[in-house]
């Protein structure tokens, strides 16, 4: 009324709002549109705001300065092995971690994983989006998923530039999954659930 916006309060637990997800072409070709959209969002939302870029193009985003976090959908193709050990995955994370650390320092922003997760199948640390297409043909491998998550947490929990992330995914009461929950990204009722409990308890 009278030209005054109602200001939306953030959730009490402070989860930032994601203003867009993986608009690869639009984010690159229309940075002024995104900057204007962020500014407009801030007139009606007083909480933190980020954008979710894919792991392979976050460095090309031209409007991180307008946001509170560098948002990355973190499905990095880390290691192309059936069931790598935790130590092997941690070693493979060193390169991407160093690049993200330097980028975060340059932008003076923390990195937030707007998505991360692993299927409970072999080679889950490499090109998960390709595994999804043939998941019904793959065998269950809870160890591969658990090792991948443990390596991720062990790598990033101590990093000051890392603001945490949103796990993909969790099904309330195990409802809403795509029909292959035993191989899906969720750690529910799998070995990976113990990994979550261990690190989240810290």
């Amino acid at each position: 009324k009278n030209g005054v916006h109602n200001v939306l309060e953030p959730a009490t637990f402070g989860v930032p709002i994601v203003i867009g997800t993986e608009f690869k072409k639009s984010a690159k070709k229309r940075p002024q549109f995104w900057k204007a959209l962020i500014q407009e969002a801030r007139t009606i939302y007083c909480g933190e705001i980020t954008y979710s870029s894919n792991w392979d193009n976050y460095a090309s985003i031209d409007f991180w300065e307008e946001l509170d976090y560098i948002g990355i959908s973190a499905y990095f193709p880390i290691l192309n092995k059936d069931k790598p050990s935790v130590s092997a995955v941690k070693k493979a994370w060193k390169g991407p971690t160093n690049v993200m650390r330097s980028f975060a320092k340059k932008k003076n922003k923390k990195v937030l994983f707007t998505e991360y997760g692993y299927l409970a199948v072999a080679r889950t640390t490499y090109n998960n989006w390709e595994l999804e297409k043939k998941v019904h043909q793959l065998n269950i491998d809870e160890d591969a998923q658990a090792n991948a998550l443990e390596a991720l947490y062990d790598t990033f929990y101590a990093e000051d530039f890392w603001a945490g992330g949103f796990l993909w995914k969790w099904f309330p009461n195990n409802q809403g999954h795509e029909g292959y929950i035993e191989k899906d990204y969720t750690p529910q009722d799998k070995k990976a659930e113990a990994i979550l409990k261990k690190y989240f308890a810290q």
Side-chain angles (χ1 to χ4, degrees), residues 39-102:
Q39 290 171 7
E40 183 177 353
R42 290 201 184 279
T43 67
I44 58 173
Y45 184 71
C46 64
E48 294 176 319
I49 299 175
T50 190
Y51 168 84
S52 179
S53 61
N54 204 31
W55 61 271
D56 60 349
N57 77 310
Y58 67 88
S60 68
I61 301 299
D62 194 33
F63 45 86
W64 291 126
E65 286 80 4
E66 310 293 326
L67 296 160
D68 297 295
Y69 298 100
I70 298 165
I72 300 177
S73 187
Y75 297 103
F76 292 83
I78 295 298
L79 194 57
N80 190 9
K81 289 187 177 181
D82 278 352
K83 185 162 50 181
S85 65
V86 174
S87 60
V89 181
K90 284 177 62 178
K91 184 177 179 180
W93 265 117
K94 286 184 179 180
T97 302
N98 290 338
V99 174
M100 279 186 280
R101 187 189 298 111
S102 296

Side-chain angles (χ1 to χ4, degrees), residues 93-195:
W93 265 117
K94 286 184 179 180
T97 302
N98 290 338
V99 174
M100 279 186 280
R101 187 189 298 111
S102 296
F103 189 77
K105 184 177 181 180
K106 177 182 176 182
K107 297 296 182 181
N108 195 29
K109 304 281 181 182
K110 288 194 173 187
V111 168
L112 178 70
F113 284 175
T114 44
E115 270 190 46
Y116 71 93
Y118 300 96
L119 293 165
V121 299
R123 295 183 184 271
T124 189
T125 51
Y126 192 80
N127 293 10
N128 260 304
W129 58 93
E130 294 180 357
L131 297 177
E132 288 179 15
K133 299 174 185 177
K134 56 182 180 180
V135 68
H136 293 290
Q137 305 166 29
L138 302 175
N139 294 325
I140 301 167
D141 194 332
E142 292 187 14
D143 289 321
Q145 182 189 47
N147 288 355
L149 279 173
E150 183 164 8
L152 184 148
Y153 292 139
D154 214 25
T155 296
F156 290 102
Y157 257 51
E159 291 284 354
D160 290 336
F161 77 86
W162 193 58
F166 301 111
L167 177 68
W168 187 263
K169 56 189 156 176
W170 192 271
F171 299 104
N173 302 315
N174 284 329
Q175 299 296 309
H177 55 84
E178 291 87 349
Y180 50 94
I181 195 167
E182 69 282 354
K183 303 175 189 176
D184 205 332
Y185 290 90
T186 180
Q188 288 165 274
D189 302 319
K190 301 173 188 172
K191 292 181 179 179
E193 187 170 349
I195 303 300

